[in-house]
Amino acid sequence: MTDAQYFDRWYADIVASPVRDDIMRRAVRLPAELRDAGTLPEEGIAQVTAGLRLPADGLLLDIACGRGGYGIEVARRSGVRLIGVELSAVALEQARSTANDRLPAGRSEFRLGTLTATGLPTGAADGVMCVDAVQFADPPLSALVEFRRLLRPGGRLALSCWEAADPADDQVPARIRAVDLRRDLTEAGFADVEVQEKPEWRRAERVLWEDALAADASDPAVEAMQAEGRRSLDTFDSLRRVFATATATATATATATAK
């Protein structure tokens, strides 16, 4: 399957799995009405919102938005317009449903796109967020360059992901070993780069995977979650959970065709 087909099926399985949703809610403490599928805990939403420093009535882009809950909640708290970009059409339909319930009419839009080809205009956004997805770009730098292109000078980026504790550790997936936010954000044309380790978010992940493995594999979504949990716990101490913020410089310094 293509990536889009894979994630279409994955999101379709999730929406039909109340057991998976219950495991997620207990571990990361997200409100059920957000209908999200990520591992960013509830307190992470507040930190993303604060890191973006969005102006009133500004434009926020949520890239690789998934089911949309994180970006929708940041937009709701900030009073801004939202565009979500995602490669799964199934996820986008779920995002639109959530936005209809939680945001004013006409204040959100969701469209097909990827981390490196969003289809959005240059310099249009006041803020860009990306939760736990930048590692899927090959290389991650190419996504960061696209994020910089989307931002007006002075616009803000907030993203979360994982980095290898030791980049030479071949037990860590190659796509994670390729992530170096401090290096690549600077190269992509960002200033005021701050990269923080978030051990408390990582602890919530451990709870999530342990709870998943203790559950009955009652449906495909739970089975997939358990498989991911086994892989994650096998290398758990080899990864760091990180959160980064940065400001778009007046002139981008990277032309970033990926290296």
Side-chain angles (χ1 to χ4, degrees), residues 113-186:
T114 70
L115 287 159
T116 57
T118 61
L120 297 170
T122 297
D126 299 288
V128 169
M129 61 182 284
C130 181
V131 174
D132 297 351
V134 72
Q135 71 275 7
F136 290 112
D138 185 17
L141 173 61
S142 61
L144 301 180
V145 170
E146 175 70 352
F147 301 165
R148 169 62 193 87
R149 184 188 70 80
L150 296 170
L151 284 164
R152 63 168 178 79
R156 293 279 291 171
L157 171 70
L159 64 88
S160 62
C161 64
W162 299 264
E163 292 183 342
D166 176 4
D169 183 354
D170 60 11
Q171 293 188 75
V172 176
R175 67 173 180 267
I176 301 293
R177 283 186 278 125
V179 176
D180 186 333
L181 294 181
R182 194 175 303 279
R183 176 197 67 200
D184 288 349
L185 283 167
T186 300

Side-chain angles (χ1 to χ4, degrees), residues 11-34:
Y11 281 111
D13 288 342
I14 287 174
V15 79
S17 179
V19 175
R20 187 190 189 283
D21 282 348
D22 187 55
I23 294 168
M24 294 292 299
R25 281 194 292 272
R26 289 199 307 269
V28 298
R29 302 176 302 282
L30 289 177
E33 57 269 23
L34 292 187

Side-chain angles (χ1 to χ4, degrees), residues 65-69 72 90-100 108 110:
C65 66
R67 293 205 283 180
I72 289 166
V90 173
L92 288 174
E93 285 304 307
Q94 296 172 25
R96 292 182 186 108
S97 175
T98 302
N100 287 340
S108 62
F110 296 90

